[in-house]
Amino acid sequence: MQRRNFIRTTGAVGTAGIVGLAGCADDEPGDEGPADDGAADDGATDDGATDDGNGGDDFPTDDLTWMVPWSEGGGTDTYARQVAVPMEEPLGQSITIDNRPGAGSLAGSEWLSTRDPDGYTFGTINSAGAHFTWRANEVEGWHIEEDFDPFAYSGVFGYTLIVNNDVADEYGIDDYGSLRDAYQDGDIENFGYQGAGSDSHLTTLLLRDNYGLEYGNEVPYDGGGPTMEAVISGEVAAGFATNTSAVNAEESGEASAIVNLMDIDLTGTWPEIDRIDNYGDSLGWITEFTLTQLAPAGTPDHIKETLSDAVEHAVESDSVQQWSEDTGNIVQYGDVQESEDLWYGIVEQMEAEVDAAIGGFDEFLALAQE
Amino acid sequence: MTVETFLGAIDALLTFDTMVWLLAGVIVGIIVGGLPGLGPPLGMAIILPLTIPLAPADAIILLVGVYSGSMYGGSIAAILINTPGVSSSAATMFDGYPMSKQGRAATALSVSATASAFAGLFTITALILFSPVLIELVLAVGTPERFLVALLGLSMITVITRGSFAKGLLAGAAGLLITTVGSAQPIALERRYADSLLLFDGIDFVAVLIGLFAIAEMMKLAGQEGGIAEGEVTIDRAGIKEGIIETVKRPVTVFKSGMIGMVVGAIPGAGATVSNFVAYSEAVRASDDPDSFGSGNVEGVVASEASNNGTVAGSLVPAISFGIPGSSSTAVLIGGLLMHGLQPGPSMFQVGGELSLTYTMLLALLVGNVVILVFGLTAVTRLGYLTKIDTDYIIPMVIVLSFLGTYALRVNPMDIITIIVFGIIGFYMVRYNYSVIAFVLGVVLGDIAEDNLYTALQLSGGTYDIFYNPFAHGRPLSFLLSVAIFLLLFGPFIKARVERFRGE
């Protein structure tokens, strides 16, 4: 009974956990990641431009395309598919999900930035993960902030620290303080993160420099799935997992989530979980990801409002609320203003934070390539 | 009580609705798998949102039905048009397509259906009986072992190369070189031309496979009159019966290949394509007539098809016992479990947990393999007639399907260029006797080898003994794999020396 409750309250995390997981599995050579069905969707965009390209009041008059920059079955995709159906009712048009995975979400984001700003094509990009990926990869030709108009957000997820249960039992690790002590004492050595040069790598360095996590060996893995697997198997004592993946890790019986690295509250899922901001400043700017809905820059305000209202309607619908309750995915609506607040100025803030902590992005990237 | 749970699972499976979903899943899977480039992840992902109204058991059965059906379906295009329907059927082309050219497509398709079904049946049975052992295996295989499995696969180049050994090595090295394009995630190295995002994830190996085989073969066929089959095409009961008999006569190959598929499939990150090549190479190595492989040896089709269906059982272990998605297919499956309120974990194998559902799913896969056998032998073998159709019609169809299927996988224009470039490369590799198989092994295994080598060395602090010293890092499996690689590479020389010594 207790286990079932655990699943119902957290599981989601479940499906979104697959955000990290499916995203990571994409590169697995044995089975290339699933893809897209929306090649023909451009037609809707073009039609829309014709019908309502000037932002007429009758928007929308044609089908809409929702770009997801990750594969089908991943967490972001699952969110989108849950929300898309109830969104169709107020809009009076059908919505086609168009998965455009690749380059850590940059491929789909770049594609979205080049669409007509008519509201008929919009997408979900996760702030601030996408900001970091864009900045770390020194992308030129388009801007992660300037080329988009955010109009809503619909959910949030982010990083936790998980620890192998055998290790935790042996050294009495149940919070960040005891994890830090175990590394400092040399009881444990290896710490796993999700790829050199990634946001989790930067967080790893910040944990070492600002939060006293003196791991002996930082070990990069090819994404979230392999990192979680390494902790479960005991190859590394502790490592990163999104709150969604951490539920899987916990349910495996081989690992436990002990530290919430985000600002959002996870005690509904893990009543005893420790918070990193008990040991220093918030790390939410790099560890928390908001599922932000965006249209290409220049989309008329009334169209953004229409889309935002539809997202709100969908997020508050019985089906999405029930899904959230059943799976534990955190569903949360933010309006145009709130989503803009979480979208603009993030790159600048990140650069300032990285400057202060590491000395700048160049220094960070140099460290990543060592 | 496990027996009661098992009987309950049988009851749950034997309902009309559930059987219909299973049948639908397997047949949809066969169709999706049979289309060039498309594979189980895409088929399952398209089905996933449609499962929302279904009961959890029916939804999961539908998904695993698609998964299993796709694995078999991939062999259809491989045999008939030299195009890997799914990447894990690539090795089927090596002997399946030559059989088609000899007018024996129906026999090859019959072999494929029989080997797939038999391997599927016994590996699923083995999973039901020995899941605790496989769960331990998943935990025992870590980063160093994954590197060594990739190295073992690369070592197979020495076994499968025919003709010039130097050309084989050169082809393998060229394949490895292809995988160095793009980002190497654990290393943070960017290796792409002009910082193009199109190359961020590297060159897609499915596009490479389709170019090397499908496009190169269509270029070759363009100069050929008539159909793909060069001789008389026989689609009759005798051909189908021959396929069944030829498979049944090779129980060791079916068993060994199925087990390779299952074990390699249970290793997250290795996957069906790797097991496919390892099983095929092992069949070549163990054969008394290795030179006949590549020219229509039934054993090659048996090994390849038995391994990829065996992978299904193996890949379910990390997915449902730990929630670890070893591949994109199982990532979608985990998404399906979560979508229906089921949490992967040990409880999936516990009587008080979801064992009943797990048994139902595994039993459904057993029945699904029977569906594959019946459908494969009765309906799919009729597709052998495709090999009689004039190449003037076949070539444009295959080219269009190949481009569409590959583009749909990643929606990346670079894949279109990849198909064309590697189509030309494949055409000339065959013409000048460079081993395409060695090249493909390099392409398939390069990423796995590189990523895991780097991470393993990070774990060991830069020392290589993590790969061979069972005492230094407590990794006996690494040691055993290293011994296997050593024997594979040097066994024939040692054996020859020993025999010469004895002779003297």
Side-chain angles (χ1 to χ4, degrees), chain A residues 59 149-152 295-296 299-309 336 340 344:
Chain A
F59 174 86
D149 281 351
F151 60 82
T299 303
D301 286 347
H302 78 277
I303 289 181
K304 288 192 289 183
E305 289 294 346
T306 303
L307 289 169
S308 189
D309 290 346
V336 174
E340 285 177 353
Y344 296 124

Side-chain angles (χ1 to χ4, degrees), chain A residues 207-240:
Chain A
L207 288 173
R208 182 192 66 190
D209 294 344
N210 300 341
Y211 299 81
L213 197 71
E214 295 176 8
Y215 42 78
N217 198 9
E218 52 190 282
V219 185
Y221 287 91
D222 189 12
T227 309
M228 183 178 84
E229 183 199 343
V231 175
I232 285 175
S233 68
E235 188 168 284
V236 294
F240 286 91

